[in-house]
Amino acid sequence: QGVVKRVRYQSLDSVFANIENLVKTYKIDAFCVSDDTFTVSEERVLEFCKRIKPFKLYWGAETRVNLINPKMLKAMRESGCIQLDFGVETGSPEMLKRVLKGITIEQTIKAFQMCEEAGIRTLANILINLPGEEESHIKETENLLKTIRPTAINVSILKPYPATPIFDEYVKMNHVEYIK
């Protein structure tokens, strides 16, 4: 239910060897960390920030609203982080439970406030077409977006993936044709 059970990491030595190569070869001045959830380990984030700071690069990452704190955000901002992307998905507590997101609206509001205070831009990823979603749920999402005021919003249509509860309930169980 929205909880990370196992994480595989590339060693920071390997990460920084790649960054050094990109700086030398391509003269990059910015990059985006492609981890699904960059802030799973606060210790790793703080070490990353310490090691990236001398490069004077701008960077961004993706994470979850329930996996950040002010100490981490301060270190990230001071090391060049300019944006965090979050899977907000919906402003409806009912819909969050239905998609097993494992977060609350309050956590989302707090995360966006912390980012604003730290000077980090935010991107809110929103899903529409959730199972059972009604106009009232969409209104709740609109209201949440007005509250959190993200720098950017990305809206996507839900795509049920095989072997997920939503796929099993709404595609497989209803004999809906699934095109691979």
Side-chain angles (χ1 to χ4, degrees):
Q1 279 205 4
V3 176
V4 177
K5 295 183 182 183
R6 182 176 64 114
V7 178
R8 293 182 305 159
Y9 292 113
Q10 182 179 6
S11 75
L12 284 179
D13 287 341
S14 175
V15 169
F16 281 93
N18 287 332
I19 290 171
E20 285 179 28
N21 181 49
L22 290 168
V23 169
K24 286 179 187 171
T25 306
Y26 300 103
K27 313 288 188 249
I28 68 162
D29 60 1
F31 65 95
C32 186
V33 177
S34 62
D35 294 5
D36 289 335
T37 314
F38 179 69
T39 60
V40 168
S41 165
E42 181 173 356
E43 180 181 333
R44 182 177 169 85
V45 169
L46 296 176
E47 180 63 22
F48 177 91
C49 291
K50 182 175 132 189
R51 291 177 68 173
I52 196 66
K53 201 173 186 177
F55 286 90
K56 295 183 173 25
L57 298 171
Y58 295 112
W59 60 278
E62 296 179 33
T63 193
R64 292 175 54 91
V65 298
N66 59 336
L67 292 177
I68 60 171
N69 63 56
K71 176 183 176 185
M72 194 184 300
L73 292 174
K74 183 177 190 293
M76 291 168 71
R77 183 64 190 111
E78 289 174 353
S79 70
C81 180
I82 59 170
Q83 181 168 311
L84 286 176
D85 300 357
F86 296 96
V88 172
E89 317 311 9
T90 177
S92 166
E94 179 186 343
M95 292 292 106
L96 283 174
K97 286 179 188 162
R98 185 166 287 160
V99 296
L100 306 175
K101 186 63 182 174
I103 61 171
T104 66
I105 299 302
E106 293 75 23
Q107 288 170 321
T108 298
I109 292 168
K110 183 175 181 185
F112 278 72
Q113 286 172 339
M114 286 190 292
C115 286
E116 186 175 340
E117 290 166 7
I120 296 175
R121 298 186 317 215
T122 52
L123 180 136
N125 286 297
I126 301 296
L127 279 176
I128 58 172
N129 194 39
L130 300 172
E133 186 174 59
E134 296 177 4
E135 191 173 333
S136 63
H137 301 119
I138 294 169
K139 273 283 182 218
E140 288 177 302
T141 301
E142 289 174 359
N143 291 335
L144 177 61
L145 290 170
K146 288 175 186 174
T147 299
I148 63 176
R149 298 182 327 272
T151 310
I153 301 167
N154 179 51
V155 179
S156 301
I157 297 172
L158 175 73
K159 177 182 179 186
Y161 287 102
T164 63
I166 289 176
F167 181 88
D168 291 343
E169 184 175 349
Y170 293 95
V171 179
K172 191 171 156 187
M173 299 295 276
N174 292 313
H175 306 290
V176 174
E177 186 70 27
Y178 175 68
I179 300 169
K180 293 181 183 179

